[in-house]
Amino acid sequence: MLLEFQGEHPNDEGLCSSQQRKSVAALGLLIILLTGLLLVARYQFRINKQLTNSDLNYENGRYFGVLADIHMDQYQNDTHCRNGDDVEGEWVVHYPTPYGAKLCDSSSTLLNMTISEFKEIEDKTGPFEFILIIGDLVGHWIEGIEPSLESVNKVRNLVSSYFPSTPVYFALGNHDLTTVHYRIPEYVERWYSMISTSLFPGLHTTEFQLLSATKTFNKHGFYKVEHSSSLWVVALNTNVFSNSMNATEEDIGAQFDWLNETLHQAENQKSVSVLLFGHIPPEIEFLDLVRWDSNKNMTWKPDCVARFNDIVGRFSNIIKLSFFAHQHTDNWYVGKSPNGGYINHFLMPPVSPVSRGHPSFSVGVTNGGLDLLDLLYYHSPVEQLTRADQTPRYFYQYSFKEQNFHFNEKYSAIDGALMDGLTKRIVDFEDGMETYTARLMNTYQFRYKPHVSAYEMYCVMTENTSEGLDVCLKK
């Protein structure tokens, strides 16, 4: 019967095929539409996930916010920005968007959106205990006292408008010196005084502590604040340690003497923990690993790294939290000092998209004992959303705990020993390196170095001296 039916209607096959093609096309469009809707829903789910997922269990957590490498460029407009990747300081055309674009620093619109979304996260977690701004408030190609101070004040005014009573601790970055070429200006003490006048009211501390912090900052650019009876915040001026800076031994020695004495005093308090942070990290320029040459890719002067390792290693038992930035990526470092203490810190991702990454910020979670429980990361794919005619916003990206550990793995805090074991996974387990590279290649600069081996990455994340790295790479 089927053959007879087909013989009587010879054109039906063509009609059916045409109708089928139309149906398939319509179905394909529907699938694309549904996929887009699911992606949006997935992003929305991820935004709320860290606050509702029982596995994270942070109902009693204490939250704090982290901003790094803001690089405010108040002169950027909707179609142009200044960028040194093309021609130094030249105005270049990018995809027009008020929220900025890759290769550009932070526009006023981007920074407004960032701080607004930052505040939305706090509205869900409860009040932030404090906010860290880990250096480079000023744009890459902003030079001179007045333009630099304008950038600093814009950041200060915006943050204080959303967080009027939250302590905001900051560290100086290499672009916060009014010069664009890693140079400490002759008028640096006058500049430090102008910075402290602008930003120190945001510390929200006692008059006595404010005077003490101002004294050291106006002279050398570092300070300490007793945030509470159980937490001291220590802000380093890592510019003077930089391999590229023109700092004197007086500047370097004064800070190390002060750091040693401050940590010694904290240890004597018995119940005090320390949060240590600064802009330029004491480690290898890990993004330059593929062209490694001893001493040429060190972020700090070798002698400064050795002195830092010695001091921090001796007081590693009280340094509960440690953060740096500068490299425009999120990563971590964990090593051991000569005396056996762990030296570990996190690199925090940037707000500025200048290094081709999505604008990002982070939220930390501690317990009552100030042990770090988790870091929650957020990012905003501003260009993609703008091209899709959607208003850019931030999305929950990942939790450090979720990303790197299975939920059946129990731990009380993210400390040096835990980070050491996690780093070894990069070498020992294939999925460890896959997880690590998938995260970095998703949003940050690491995608430009995909041929770096797992062992090379392990070496650069556990050795912060040129000698140590050379030995590790030869094993």
Side-chain angles (χ1 to χ4, degrees), residues 4-58:
E4 290 178 1
F5 184 83
Q6 287 180 331
E8 292 179 28
H9 303 280
N11 295 324
D12 279 357
E13 182 178 356
L15 289 171
C16 290
S17 297
S18 176
Q19 291 171 350
Q20 288 173 344
R21 283 194 294 271
K22 291 179 180 178
S23 297
V24 170
L27 180 61
L29 289 173
L30 180 61
I31 290 173
I32 292 172
L33 177 61
L34 289 174
T35 301
L37 291 173
L38 285 171
L39 286 174
V40 172
R42 176 173 174 265
Y43 272 129
Q44 186 61 48
F45 170 76
R46 293 181 72 190
I47 291 171
N48 298 317
K49 182 181 178 185
Q50 83 282 5
L51 301 178
T52 58
N53 190 331
S54 60
D55 287 317
L56 296 176
N57 194 28
Y58 299 138

Side-chain angles (χ1 to χ4, degrees), residues 108-292:
S108 296
T109 306
L110 172 61
L111 187 58
N112 270 277
M113 185 267 287
T114 298
I115 305 304
S116 174
E117 300 257 333
F118 203 43
K119 176 60 178 174
E120 285 189 19
I121 300 302
E122 190 205 42
D123 291 340
K124 296 177 181 178
T125 63
F128 289 161
E129 288 235 351
F130 54 84
I131 293 172
L132 300 180
I133 301 181
I134 314 182
D136 276 2
L137 288 73
V138 180
H140 281 82
W141 308 106
I142 302 288
E143 187 171 12
I145 290 178
E146 293 304 322
S148 297
L149 189 61
E150 183 182 356
S151 294
V152 170
N153 287 340
K154 279 185 174 290
V155 174
R156 176 207 64 195
N157 291 342
L158 189 58
V159 173
S160 63
S161 69
Y162 281 96
F163 301 91
S165 59
T166 305
V168 179
Y169 305 117
F170 69 94
L172 288 172
N174 52 294
H175 288 281
D176 298 329
L177 296 174
T178 76
T179 59
V180 297
H181 295 294
Y182 285 88
R183 280 291 170 265
I184 298 173
E186 294 180 358
Y187 51 80
V188 69
E189 289 186 26
R190 179 161 66 96
W191 174 242
Y192 288 164
S193 178
M194 297 172 76
I195 290 285
S196 65
T197 300
S198 174
L199 298 181
F200 269 25
L203 299 180
H204 295 294
T205 187
T206 65
E207 184 176 352
F208 174 79
Q209 288 204 68
L210 192 61
L211 288 172
S212 178
T214 301
K215 182 179 179 181
T216 59
F217 185 86
N218 286 1
K219 178 66 176 178
H220 297 291
F222 53 76
Y223 66 96
K224 179 263 293 183
V225 171
E226 296 179 18
H227 174 79
S228 68
S229 60
S230 58
L231 176 63
W232 289 12
V233 176
V234 176
L236 300 176
N237 178 9
T238 56
N239 291 323
V240 301
F241 304 145
S242 169
N243 218 2
S244 304
M245 283 288 182
N246 58 326
T248 66
E249 174 55 34
E250 179 183 358
D251 294 324
I252 295 170
Q255 185 161 195
F256 279 128
D257 289 344
W258 170 84
L259 177 62
N260 185 69
E261 178 61 23
T262 298
L263 294 176
H264 182 69
Q265 291 174 1
E267 186 177 51
N268 286 342
Q269 295 295 314
K270 304 301 181 182
S271 60
V272 168
S273 297
V274 171
L275 186 162
L276 181 69
F277 77 112
H279 182 65
I280 302 174
E283 59 182 42
I284 310 298
E285 291 275 8
F286 75 93
L287 297 174
D288 293 328
L289 176 62
V290 293
R291 54 188 178 87
W292 167 254

